[in-house]
Every structure is written in structure tokens, then in C-alpha cells.
Amino acid sequence: MSEVTVYGAPYSTYVRSVRMALEEKGVPYDLVDVDILAEGGAPKEHYSRQPFGKIPAFEHAGFPLFETTAINHYVDEAFDGPALMPKDAQARARVNQVISLLDSHGYRACVWDVFVERAFVPSQGGESNEETVAKGLETAETCMTALEKIMGEGPYLAGRSVSLADLHAYPIFRYFCMTPDGGEAFKRHPKLCAWWETISARPSVA
């Protein structure tokens, strides 16, 4: 049994971000499935790990932690392996800017407003809320335009090396691009498309 445990469901973008960080660092871990979308929500015992019943939760050798950004920064600093935060102050600020942008604007627009409405709702026999989809696409467009400006020369979102920004962004845009609307919108951003090819080739993505 590993010293590191991640509590959460594989479908979660935030769980995947943490798992990618662990893979990038070469840290073995156990994944304990916690399905917060199941009938009744998260199991009662999960609230002792995450008081709001969200995922992921994390534990390393008896040290508990929740909130994805906190977990990923801890993973980067607590374990050997390639650094996932740049040393340069401006580049570090860019990483934090990308993560904040995605949490504040991108996640809701790309995942809930576009993917859930366009893909998940119809799969359950419902009809997409076109107004919600349109609003999500508009916000996603603003996010993608901002990210291309932030990227600079790339090839990663915050510079020449993979960082926590890329690991935060990939799972969100993975869902977004699974929809025809999202995929077409993404293709209109060539720098992001080049980034997509680069990040998709990393073993941590698989």
C-alpha cells in the first residue's frame, strides 16, 4: 500500500489534475473511488476528509489535505522529481494566474455549461439548455483568448516546461473538446492547439 492516497472519482477534472501531478513526479499512490454524483452524494465518511463533500481529498503518510491547488503545490514541494513550478517570479505568477483564471471562469463554462449540457444531459434523455451552452462558449472563448496571450512563446502555458498550470488546464479542456461546439471553438486557437499536442503526448496524460 502506498503512503499517498487520493480520494475521488476518475471522472473529476480536479482529481485528474492531482493524479497527473503525482505521475509527473513519479510518486506511487492509491486511488480510493469516491463518487460524489451518486444518489445521496458523497458517503458520510468522506466529510471527515473534505468538509464540503468535494473531491479530491488527499493523504500522505497521515497528513491530510484538500483543495486541488494546495494538494498539487504540496506534491511538487514534498516529493523528488522534476519541478512543476518555475523558479522565476514572473513565470510562477503566470502559473497561478492560469489556475485562478480556470477556477474562476473556465471550469464552469467548459465543463458544466458546455460539456454537461451538450453531452451528458442528452445522454440521460434530456435536452440541452441552448442559452447555457451559448453563455459557456462565450466565456470559454474569452478564457482561450486570454490563455493564448499568457502563453508567450510556449510550448506550455507558462513557459518552456510543463507546470501545474498545464496539469490544471488539460482535464478541463479535455471535456470541452469532447463536444462538437467546444472542439470547433478550440481549433480556432492555434497556439492552444499546439499546446494540446504537446501536453497530450506526456505519459502523465495517459
Side-chain angles (χ1 to χ4, degrees):
M1 185 174 180
S2 170
E3 287 191 333
V4 173
T5 304
V6 178
Y7 299 91
Y11 59 70
S12 165
T13 62
Y14 290 109
V15 170
R16 188 168 189 182
S17 175
V18 169
R19 296 176 71 191
M20 289 174 66
L22 290 164
E23 294 289 346
E24 289 285 346
K25 300 291 282 190
V27 178
Y29 65 93
D30 295 315
L31 177 66
V32 176
D33 190 39
V34 177
D35 184 6
I36 63 172
L37 298 182
E39 185 175 355
K44 291 181 179 180
E45 65 270 16
H46 185 63
Y47 285 86
S48 64
R49 310 180 195 108
Q50 218 289 3
F52 302 99
K54 304 294 186 180
I55 51 178
F58 173 93
E59 186 173 331
H60 171 222
F63 174 67
L65 198 59
F66 62 89
E67 295 299 334
T68 302
T69 300
I71 295 169
N72 279 350
H73 279 287
Y74 176 80
V75 168
D76 188 34
E77 296 172 13
F79 299 102
D80 294 332
L84 298 176
M85 283 292 285
K87 293 182 179 179
D88 176 73
Q90 292 185 357
R92 291 173 70 86
R94 287 301 191 198
V95 172
N96 291 327
Q97 183 182 34
V98 169
I99 292 171
S100 181
L101 181 155
L102 291 168
D103 282 346
S104 298
H105 309 286
Y107 172 76
R108 177 77 200 187
C110 291
V111 178
W112 286 96
D113 293 349
V114 177
F115 173 77
V116 170
E117 284 294 333
R118 185 62 84 218
F120 183 75
V121 169
S123 75
Q124 302 300 304
E127 294 186 7
S128 302
N129 184 317
E130 296 300 331
E131 184 177 347
T132 299
V133 173
K135 182 180 178 181
L137 288 168
E138 181 180 1
T139 301
E141 182 66 28
T142 302
C143 290
M144 291 186 290
T145 299
L147 286 174
E148 287 207 313
K149 290 181 180 179
I150 288 170
M151 282 182 68
E153 297 300 318
Y156 293 100
L157 293 179
R160 303 297 303 173
S161 301
V162 69
S163 73
L164 295 180
D166 305 290
L167 309 186
H168 212 78
Y170 176 84
I172 292 172
F173 285 116
R174 178 74 181 101
Y175 276 127
F176 184 67
C177 290
M178 287 173 68
T179 69
D181 310 78
E184 287 302 314
F186 196 85
K187 289 177 183 177
R188 294 195 291 268
H189 295 270
K191 290 176 70 175
L192 281 180
C193 288
W195 164 77
W196 185 262
E197 293 298 321
T198 301
I199 190 68
S200 296
R202 298 191 71 84
S204 63
V205 170

